[in-house]
Amino acid sequence: RPSPAAERDEAGHALAAMKRLVEFSGAVMREEKPERLFKLLLEAVVDLTGAEKGFVLVLRDNERQLAAAHNVGKESLDITRISDTIVDQVIKLRRPVIVSDAMNDRKFARARSVVDLKVTSVMCVPLLYRNDLLGVLYLGNDAVTGLFTEDDLAILQVWASQASMVMHAAIMLNELKVTNRNLREALRRRAQGAMIGSSPRMKEVFRVIRRVAPTDLSVLVLGETGTGKELVAQAIHRHSSRADGPFVKVNCAALPENLLESELFGHERGAFTGADRQRVGRFELASGGTLFLDEIGTMSAGTQAKVLRVLQEREFERLGGTRTIRADVRILAATNRDLEEAVEAGEFREDLYYRLNVVTIRMPPLRERKEDIVPLARHFLQRFALDLKKPIRGLSPAAIRVLQRHNWPGNIRELENTIERAVLMADGDVLEPEDLTLGGHAEGGEDHSRRSSILRLPAEGIELEELERMAIIEALKMNDWVQKDAAKFLGISSRVMNYKIQKYEITHPRWTRNRA
């Protein structure tokens, strides 16, 4: 029987091991990277056992990989050539091995690790979680006075089994975080091309897209501004035989006539004043793919005639050029104008209209597909919460009611901007009505009309904070620079309004006079 002093030493050693395990568990829960977890494990057990050398092998896809090492150089431990009898036995039997006097042990004296690491005493234990073998922990000493004992092995085995559970949980959590991050990133990347909707009107849109996409027919997409006409064009391209080719967009309303022709067809050097080099047009750039002509209703009569020729003959020349270029391109077009009225008024060529209008897809305004408002809002919320690093997890029931009551004159673009501003300005983890800046007059009235004018502020190329600053200044102007009224108008608290005014350093002479 051990002496009382020996028993006290043994109990103290066990207590120290458990304290070290608690410390290790806390450190593991703060760490995300698996490779760092195994390093923490090795550091802890080396400190616990007084081992001079050691390493951790992990098993991934039935292959052994070195996860961590202590006082072991790569030159003395080549994982690619380890076929170690000690490690092999632990992996095969899933039971620990102790070799107190390795140099004189008949079975393990010639083990690769014993020879390469020049150890005299070895402990090797499996890292097990239920039926999963995470890896192997190997410890060694090379001094005769530091031989491992069975008691050392028993404490290490208990410690390693508990540590394995902690590590398994941490690894699974890390994998979930990585998977979630990847899914969110994939969602963010697809957001510009994703179409969301389950309303009857949108189901009909999806049905037509599926039918027309595999063909090479021209498609005319009609709908109000902000309804997602470009998303329809992108969806048709993605599901067509041209999906591997380019998708090229031209906004016909953004360019004057002379520049639009050059943009579409290209020009030769010297074709006009300032043409100092050859330019390849969008029809050429879209070869083998799809050309999307947005806002085609604004195109001039001269450009209409040239586009019609491309549709009829599938060829064109650059401006100032004589070489005929073949146009291997599918044409998709979109407009928010009533082209039939434009044809009757003589503002749009009838023959071009019928060439473009082989298939028509009408995008419904958001007020006619109210079933889709909340799914769209949640989609935008998830994206902007990720982009802006805001811990916002959803919409309150009251916020959902406000969204559903609003008339959405700006359609999906207005909804997207509303959610983006709300995520930026919200203080809580759930969006509330006051965060949405839609106010209480969702279906009309003077406030609604004035508030809609703020939503139509030019946002293209403007940073989000600058857009918010512009919106706050516009609200202040509309309310005679009375902060309380402007806050009520925007649907935010006076405290938030005051914070935003200070943040953006907005001033007005009246405020200075009042303070004086």
Side-chain angles (χ1 to χ4, degrees), residues 89-190:
Q89 180 167 316
V90 172
I91 291 176
K92 181 180 179 181
L93 302 179
R94 298 192 174 194
R95 289 202 296 265
V97 168
I98 182 171
V99 187
S100 296
D101 188 0
M103 305 300 287
N104 296 314
D105 189 282
R106 292 183 178 181
K107 185 174 182 180
F108 297 119
R110 297 184 180 274
R112 171 73 66 181
S113 58
V114 172
V115 174
D116 286 357
L117 300 181
K118 301 180 176 61
V119 292
T120 58
S121 184
V122 175
M123 285 193 297
C124 187
V125 296
L127 298 172
L128 286 167
Y129 175 75
R130 295 183 178 174
N131 292 324
D132 294 331
L133 181 62
L134 304 180
V136 169
L137 173 62
Y138 184 107
L139 298 176
N141 276 333
D142 53 11
V144 176
T145 56
L147 299 180
F148 294 127
T149 67
E150 291 289 343
D151 290 340
D152 294 327
L153 181 63
I155 290 177
L156 180 61
Q157 188 176 359
V158 172
W159 200 96
S161 65
Q162 296 299 312
S164 296
M165 289 192 290
V166 175
M167 291 180 64
H168 183 271
I171 291 170
M172 291 299 102
L173 179 61
N174 178 69
E175 289 183 1
L176 284 173
K177 287 181 178 179
V178 171
T179 300
N180 188 42
R181 200 158 49 233
N182 291 341
L183 288 173
R184 285 175 176 267
E185 179 60 22
L187 179 64
R188 189 189 69 80
R189 287 196 304 268
R190 286 177 52 84

Side-chain angles (χ1 to χ4, degrees), residues 80-96:
T80 61
R81 63 191 183 96
I82 273 193
S83 179
D84 191 85
T85 50
I86 297 175
V87 174
D88 290 345
Q89 180 167 316
V90 172
I91 291 176
K92 181 180 179 181
L93 302 179
R94 298 192 174 194
R95 289 202 296 265

Side-chain angles (χ1 to χ4, degrees), residues 299-312:
M299 188 178 287
S300 69
T303 307
Q304 288 177 36
K306 294 184 177 182
V307 171
L308 177 62
R309 182 199 169 193
V310 177
L311 285 169
Q312 289 175 331

